[in-house]
Each structure stands twice: as structure tokens, then as C-alpha cells.
Amino acid sequence: MYIQKLQEEIAPLREQLIHHKLYKNIDSIERIRLFMESHIFAVWDFMSLLKALQNGLTNTNVPWTPKGNPITRRLINEIVLGEESDLNELGEPFSHFEMYVESMQQLGANTAEIEAFIEYINNGNSVEAAFDKINISDSAKNFVKFTIEQVNSNQLHIIAAVFTFGREDLIPDMFLEIVKNIGSSTDVNISKLIYYLERHIEIDGGEHGPMSLQMIHELCGDDLQKWDEAIKASKEALNYRIALWDGINNEIVNRN
């Protein structure tokens, strides 16, 4: 019942995302490049949500002891395996983030900003400080800042809600069709991007969806306040995604 209410509450925002005008405007390789140069930051910050859940729902300490629900542990560890050390199209271990960066390079998209950002983070800078040193859109910055705020809240039910309901979900299916259509009419090799999207869809399907819902059930239980907070966080996450799509769409349209 609680899950159904949450899904009903976020349904209008999901509809906005599914039918966003951005998709029809991604109609060339140049526009795919622009899309990816901003979207890569949403690919990156997904891992912070996932790692926050792994830290909170599994035991990463030494010495180790069992922690939490074994089903939830398996869900998180399976997703970490798939996202952080999946196999690329050559059978080599790669994170999905690294696959995405490689696909950007194959398309000739600019990776300088995300590479500089990662270097700043590796050198001990905060996300805020790293953003001050690179040139990306406000919509991308705001999207990531919201994610990091949820991670830093240490409220697992909120982090899980943003993770489960606030991320891409149906987006890869639609984007994949756009990419395939453009790829059939250009000499530019986009095989790495198509592989990334197909792999993303494959891994996110199957049992991960139901297991994610079970994780939300476990974390919120019968606590109405937690469910209300989960609804609020999911709505905020979807609104930030819509704002990101709006920002990318405006850049694409105004660039021509």
C-alpha cells in the first residue's frame, strides 16, 4: 500500500520525464555529444548513492560481522558488481562510468571537464570545490549537489528512495532508440554507447526492480514519517532530473 501511494505520487513527474521534449531534439551526433557532456555527471553521482547504500546496508568494516537483511545485502552487492566492475564489449572489467567516458571519446565528445572533476576529487577536493574549478551547466551542478546532500544525510530510507525512484529507470530505453536511429544514418561509430545503454537496460531489469522495492519496504517499514520523507525525496530527485533535461535541451536548441 505504501509503495503504491509513493508510485502514484511520483507518477506525474515520471510522465514529464518519459515525454520530455529533449528526446526529439537529440537528432544528430553533435547533439548526442552535448547531451553526454552534461549527462556524464549524473552517471558519476549514481555511484555515490550506491556506495552510500553499500556502506549502510552491508558491513564494510574489519573485523566483519553479519549486518542487516541478507536479501538487501545481495541486492546492493549485485548492483555494485554490475555498476563498478561490469564487462565491456571486449569482455574487460570496467565500471559503467568508465564505459560511458569511453563512449564519449569514441563519439568525439568533450571529456575534459569530467576528467578534471575526477582528478580534483581524487586530490581531496570536495564536490563543491571541484565544481568551482570546471565549466559545466548549473542544472548539472544542481543535480549532483542534490545527490550528494542526500548521501550526506545518512538517512538510508531517503537515499534508497532517490536511488530506486529518482534515477534513470525508463530513460535508457527511449534514449537507446534515439541513438540507434541516428547511428544508422551516420558514419560515426557509436558502438560503445549502444553497448552501454543495452547493458544498462539488461542489468537494471529482472530481479533488481522488485528487490529495490523490497529494500524500500524494509527501510521504511510501517513508519509513516519515513514514507512521507521517501515520497518527498523521490519527487525532488525527479524534479532535479527534469531540470537537468530542461538545461540540456535549452543548450542543444540554443547552440544551433
Side-chain angles (χ1 to χ4, degrees), residues 125-191:
N125 289 274
S126 68
V127 170
E128 289 271 2
F131 276 150
D132 289 339
K133 301 173 186 290
I134 64 173
N135 180 30
I136 65 168
S137 67
D138 287 341
S139 59
K141 286 182 182 179
N142 292 337
F143 184 91
V144 174
K145 286 178 181 179
F146 169 78
T147 299
I148 299 303
E149 286 173 5
Q150 308 320 301
V151 167
N152 291 337
S153 75
N154 294 318
Q155 298 293 309
L156 288 176
H157 64 291
I158 291 176
I159 298 170
V162 172
F163 176 87
T164 301
F165 300 107
R167 303 307 294 197
E168 296 183 45
D169 202 4
L170 297 176
I171 305 306
D173 285 300
M174 292 177 288
F175 189 42
L176 180 59
E177 290 307 310
I178 294 168
V179 169
K180 284 182 174 178
N181 289 337
I182 295 172
S184 64
S185 61
T186 181
D187 293 332
V188 177
N189 187 353
I190 60 173
S191 59

Side-chain angles (χ1 to χ4, degrees), residues 87-92 192 195:
L87 300 179
N88 68 7
E89 75 280 8
L90 301 176
E92 303 165 334
K192 288 183 180 292
Y195 178 86

Side-chain angles (χ1 to χ4, degrees), residues 65-128:
T65 56
K67 179 180 180 180
N69 185 309
I71 296 175
T72 304
R73 290 200 304 262
R74 182 176 178 85
L75 165 69
I76 295 303
N77 287 329
E78 277 192 0
I79 296 176
V80 169
L81 174 64
E83 292 287 343
E84 191 172 29
S85 51
D86 198 10
L87 300 179
N88 68 7
E89 75 280 8
L90 301 176
E92 303 165 334
F94 263 73
S95 69
H96 282 193
F97 170 79
E98 290 164 316
M99 288 185 198
Y100 200 93
V101 171
E102 276 205 337
S103 67
M104 291 176 68
Q105 293 167 340
Q106 186 183 53
L107 267 72
N110 179 14
T111 59
E113 301 304 326
I114 188 63
E115 289 170 353
F117 178 77
I118 293 299
E119 184 175 354
Y120 288 130
I121 295 295
N122 282 335
N123 289 336
N125 289 274
S126 68
V127 170
E128 289 271 2

